[in-house]
Amino acid sequence: NAGVIQTPRHKVTGKGQEATLWCEPISGHSAVFWYRQTIVQGLEFLTYFRNQAPIDDSGMPKERFSAQMPNQSHSTLKIQSTQPQDSAVYLCASSLDWGGAETLYFGSGTRLTVL
Amino acid sequence: GDQVEQSPSALSLHEGTGSALRCNFTTTMRAVQWFRKNSRGSLINLFYLASGTKENGRLKSAFDSKERYSTLHIRDAQLEDSGTYFCAGSGSFNKLTFGAGTRLAVCP
């Protein structure tokens, strides 16, 4: 079991460019989460999927952020027109299920730097 | 919204000693998870609790949903226990709300 896999580990973009982050959840896990970590805000919830369906995206900045889960083996987080304030570590996590009752397993994260 | 107050923000222990980390929740949480950030920056799950206490080696965690707090006790601290510890509560809308973390330094 390789755990939750996130690629790339590091990404540097120029202001205004697009960034796509990839996540492969643990096989068999039906719930996938995206979080963002910054020094100022700490760990912030962005969105989550259950059985590939988007359930709650209340943490997503509405205008430039989007997340998809086209199949059970991967999810993407896309940021359009990146801004310096988007710089953060983006974490993906998965769990067997989610009813508030399942252990969450995190990937190593993607460190996004927007110049 | 749900908020989690984690304390202390930083803690220094000598090897062999122990202490406790605490998280207070502003709302009723259904469960709490404790994580530790490893050397690669990954969050490793230490405990999941819906109630009561759990123990694993030198770590012990307790969660009281009614009183809205959780604790993580570390005993006989070792150098490799150094790192950042986070608690997270499962509250409304089935998502985790994280504390700000506790930076633990274990000194010889």
Side-chain angles (χ1 to χ4, degrees):
Chain A
N1 186 345
V4 176
I5 299 171
Q6 288 189 252
T7 55
R9 288 297 305 275
H10 304 274
K11 186 170 182 65
V12 180
T13 66
K15 183 179 176 180
Q17 292 183 327
E18 182 178 288
T20 299
L21 314 179
W22 296 75
C23 171
E24 180 180 331
I26 293 173
S27 178
H29 281 196
S30 62
V32 174
F33 300 78
W34 285 95
Y35 285 83
R36 173 170 67 179
Q37 184 174 28
T38 61
I39 292 175
V40 174
Q41 298 292 335
L43 276 150
E44 300 176 281
F45 167 82
L46 294 176
T47 186
Y48 94 92
F49 297 84
R50 189 177 185 189
N51 294 324
Q52 300 173 233
I55 301 299
D56 181 355
D57 67 354
S58 58
M60 293 275 275
K62 295 302 181 190
E63 293 184 349
R64 299 180 293 105
F65 284 59
S66 62
Q68 294 183 326
M69 192 162 184
N71 57 60
Q72 62 185 8
S73 64
H74 88 273
S75 174
T76 58
L77 179 68
K78 184 179 292 185
I79 308 172
Q80 295 178 313
S81 185
T82 54
Q83 303 297 310
Q85 61 264 30
D86 298 332
S87 297
V89 175
Y90 289 82
L91 294 167
C92 177
S94 71
S95 67
L96 268 174
D97 199 352
W98 195 256
E102 289 293 342
T103 299
L104 210 59
Y105 297 87
F106 280 86
S108 299
T110 294
R111 181 175 295 278
L112 175 66
T113 302
V114 182
L115 302 176
Chain B
D2 301 336
Q3 289 189 350
V4 181
E5 300 166 354
Q6 184 172 347
S7 63
S9 59
L11 179 63
S12 182
L13 294 175
H14 288 291
E15 274 186 297
T17 64
S19 189
L21 286 55
R22 184 181 176 103
C23 282
N24 292 323
F25 307 108
T26 58
T27 59
T28 300
M29 297 291 185
R30 285 181 286 177
V32 67
Q33 297 189 41
W34 284 90
F35 297 88
R36 180 184 154 205
K37 185 181 283 190
N38 68 7
S39 58
R40 294 181 58 197
S42 297
L43 285 172
I44 306 301
N45 191 283
L46 299 174
F47 291 103
Y48 165 84
L49 295 99
S51 65
T53 63
K54 282 188 179 179
E55 192 165 356
N56 185 1
R58 295 176 291 101
L59 298 177
K60 181 177 179 179
S61 183
F63 174 52
D64 190 324
S65 176
K66 183 179 178 182
E67 298 299 322
R68 300 183 181 178
Y69 77 90
S70 177
T71 57
L72 177 68
H73 293 260
I74 302 172
R75 63 175 175 83
D76 188 24
Q78 303 297 305
L79 296 176
E80 58 265 29
D81 295 331
S82 295
T84 303
Y85 293 76
F86 294 91
C87 67
S90 309
S92 57
F93 307 114
N94 284 348
K95 63 180 181 278
L96 290 180
T97 302
F98 281 82
T102 297
R103 291 187 306 280
L104 172 65
V106 180
C107 311

